[in-house]
């Protein structure tokens, strides 16, 4: 969706869909978005994509934070939910197809999040795939085009509904630690990886995770259906994306029955909290940081078992620590 920060509305491979049924049925142009509305939750008025990036100047919960103005004085700013990059149209879009086998297809876009007397951040993104294969790659490059060091945040809000999400679906990943983001989520931390059927009045549960990785800093996460014969996996570097958030929102179908698997540079707290916890990275002037996620779609029991086996190998004999309380700030 070039008008919405190069987000991806949905992916279809055979009978497996990556996406969800949001109450928002249209692709909403950013011109009709009001991010500060509803106490900074206006981002939700256009939220229906399978993959939407949160960032780049900030992401996470709305609230206040400080910044230095053009005179070098400290000012207070109101941060809206998950930042601006998902509601900025791409300024460049191109599609290329190789002329020789395997005829790889690449969709590229450039999205600029810039302000005078403020951040000058550029996102260059590429989706690449080979026709007929059940995998694809997303590669993002974020560059600081300004003359001064700049903070940034990036979280991939990757959302799933039916057919992968349902009663008995399971999240599988090699983890060191799982921390509930709230007291409400803490009540169900023992069942953080299990999903239930749509439940009227369900209040969202969010879990902050530290993934385990191999010797090359690669990790793997998977969402599988209740029969364990359909799944999606994502593989990425914990050097690039060291943190992972699991969002469970299994309310009524008409309200948006969905879960989010969200690798990121930090967790979706307000930026002020993330900075205090040393989870807000910086880019030097002219510096570029690359992020790559490889997705696989698995459409039979053996394929799902193979991914589960790889994850079990990464997990090893140690079980993740399950915190009973949210992180202290």
């Amino acid at each position: 969706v070039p008008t919405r920060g190069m987000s991806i509305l949905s992916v279809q491979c055979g009978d497996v869909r990556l996406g969800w049924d949001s109450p928002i049925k249209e692709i909403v142009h950013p011109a009709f978005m009001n991010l500060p509305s509803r106490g900074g939750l206006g981002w939700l008025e256009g939220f229906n994509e399978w993959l939407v990036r949160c960032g780049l100047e900030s992401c996470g919960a709305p609230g206040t934070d400080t910044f230095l103005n053009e005179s070098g004085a400290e000012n207070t700013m109101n941060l809206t939910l998950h930042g601006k990059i998902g509601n900025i149209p791409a300024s460049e879009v191109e599609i290329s197809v190789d002329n020789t086998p395997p005829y790889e297809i690449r969709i590229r876009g450039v999205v600029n999040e810039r302000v005078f007397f403020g951040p000058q951040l550029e996102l260059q993104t590429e989706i690449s795939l080979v026709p007929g294969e059940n995998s694809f790659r997303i590669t993002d490059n974020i560059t600081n085009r300004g003359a001064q060091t700049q903070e940034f945040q990036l979280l991939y809000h990757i959302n799933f509904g039916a057919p992968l999400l349902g009663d008995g679906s399971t999240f599988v990943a090699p983890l060191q630690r799982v921390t509930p983001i709230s007291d409400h989520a803490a009540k169900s931390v023992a069942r953080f990886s299990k999903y239930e059927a749509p439940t009227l009045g369900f209040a969202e549960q969010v879990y902050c995770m530290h993934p385990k990785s191999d010797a090359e800093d690669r990790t793997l996460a998977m969402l599988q259906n209740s029969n364990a014969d359909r799944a999606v996996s994502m593989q990425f570097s914990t050097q690039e994306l060291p943190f992972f958030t699991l969002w469970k929102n299994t309310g009524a179908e008409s309200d948006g029955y969905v879960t989010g698997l969200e690798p990121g540079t930090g967790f979706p707290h307000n930026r002020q909290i993330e900075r205090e916890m040393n989870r807000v990275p910086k880019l030097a002037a002219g510096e570029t940081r690359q992020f790559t996620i490889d997705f696989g779609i698995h459409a039979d029991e053996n394929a799902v078992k193979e991914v589960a086996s790889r994850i079990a190998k990464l997990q090893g004999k140690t079980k993740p620590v399950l915190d009973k309380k949210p992180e202290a700030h």
Side-chain angles (χ1 to χ4, degrees), residues 29 63 78-79 84 105 125 151 158 169 203 205 220 275 296 317:
H29 191 279
N78 293 318
L79 300 178
K84 300 177 181 178
I105 302 169
T125 180
E151 291 182 333
I158 307 170
S169 294
Q205 298 170 352
L220 181 65
R275 187 185 296 113
K317 296 181 180 180

Side-chain angles (χ1 to χ4, degrees), residues 13 45 61 68 98 111-112 117 120 134 162-164 217 284 294 312:
C13 181
E45 296 172 7
L68 298 179
D98 288 351
V111 188
N112 288 294
F117 290 138
Q120 300 178 43
N134 65 340
L164 295 178
D217 299 313
D294 291 302

Side-chain angles (χ1 to χ4, degrees), residues 132-203:
E133 293 192 356
N134 65 340
S135 61
F136 60 98
R137 169 176 285 184
I138 293 174
T139 304
D140 288 348
N141 287 282
I142 297 176
T143 303
N144 177 11
R145 295 298 184 190
Q148 302 181 53
T149 297
Q150 174 62 48
E151 291 182 333
F152 79 100
Q153 293 182 283
L154 177 64
L155 182 142
Y156 292 89
H157 214 303
I158 307 170
N159 308 294
F160 301 91
L164 295 178
L165 179 64
D167 190 15
S169 294
T170 307
F171 167 74
V172 189
L175 301 170
Q176 301 177 57
R177 188 174 214 99
V178 178
T179 306
I181 206 169
S182 65
D183 291 332
H184 167 69
K187 298 174 184 177
S188 303
V189 69
R191 287 184 49 80
F192 76 91
S193 63
K194 301 295 183 181
Y195 292 93
E196 299 176 356
T199 305
L200 182 64
F202 182 92

Side-chain angles (χ1 to χ4, degrees), residues 104-303:
E104 186 171 19
I105 302 169
R106 301 176 184 87
I107 304 171
R108 303 186 182 100
V110 178
V111 188
N112 288 294
E113 184 178 331
R114 305 192 190 200
V115 60
F116 191 60
F117 290 138
Q120 300 178 43
L121 296 170
E122 176 189 86
L123 165 69
Q124 293 190 19
T125 180
E126 177 184 276
I127 308 163
S128 57
L129 59 90
V130 172
E133 293 192 356
N134 65 340
S135 61
F136 60 98
R137 169 176 285 184
I138 293 174
T139 304
D140 288 348
N141 287 282
I142 297 176
T143 303
N144 177 11
R145 295 298 184 190
Q148 302 181 53
T149 297
Q150 174 62 48
E151 291 182 333
F152 79 100
Q153 293 182 283
L154 177 64
L155 182 142
Y156 292 89
H157 214 303
I158 307 170
N159 308 294
F160 301 91
L164 295 178
L165 179 64
D167 190 15
S169 294
T170 307
F171 167 74
V172 189
L175 301 170
Q176 301 177 57
R177 188 174 214 99
V178 178
T179 306
I181 206 169
S182 65
D183 291 332
H184 167 69
K187 298 174 184 177
S188 303
V189 69
R191 287 184 49 80
F192 76 91
S193 63
K194 301 295 183 181
Y195 292 93
E196 299 176 356
T199 305
L200 182 64
F202 182 92
E204 66 175 4
Q205 298 170 352
V206 179
Y207 299 98
C208 302
M209 304 175 175
H210 297 263
K212 295 185 71 173
S213 55
D214 62 18
E216 297 179 345
D217 299 313
R218 301 288 291 175
T219 192
L220 181 65
M222 177 174 68
L223 176 67
Q224 66 182 41
N225 69 357
S226 59
N227 294 328
D229 60 4
R230 298 288 188 277
V232 60
S233 66
M234 58 179 73
Q235 189 173 14
F236 56 93
S237 166
T238 53
Q239 285 291 314
E240 298 171 0
L241 299 163
F243 305 103
F244 196 97
T245 301
L246 184 67
W247 173 55
K248 299 173 72 175
N249 190 62
T250 52
E253 290 184 355
S254 59
D255 291 336
Y257 180 67
V258 62
T259 188
L261 279 58
E262 307 172 12
T265 59
F267 296 128
H269 298 286
N270 179 273
R271 186 178 66 183
Q272 192 170 27
I273 294 174
E274 288 297 287
R275 187 185 296 113
E276 291 172 359
M277 306 306 295
N278 296 313
R279 292 192 293 257
V280 179
K282 296 180 179 179
L283 286 171
E287 183 183 0
T288 298
R289 195 83 59 88
Q290 185 172 94
F291 305 89
T292 300
I293 307 178
D294 291 302
F295 293 91
I297 300 172
H298 313 286
D300 62 61
E301 187 175 349
N302 288 334

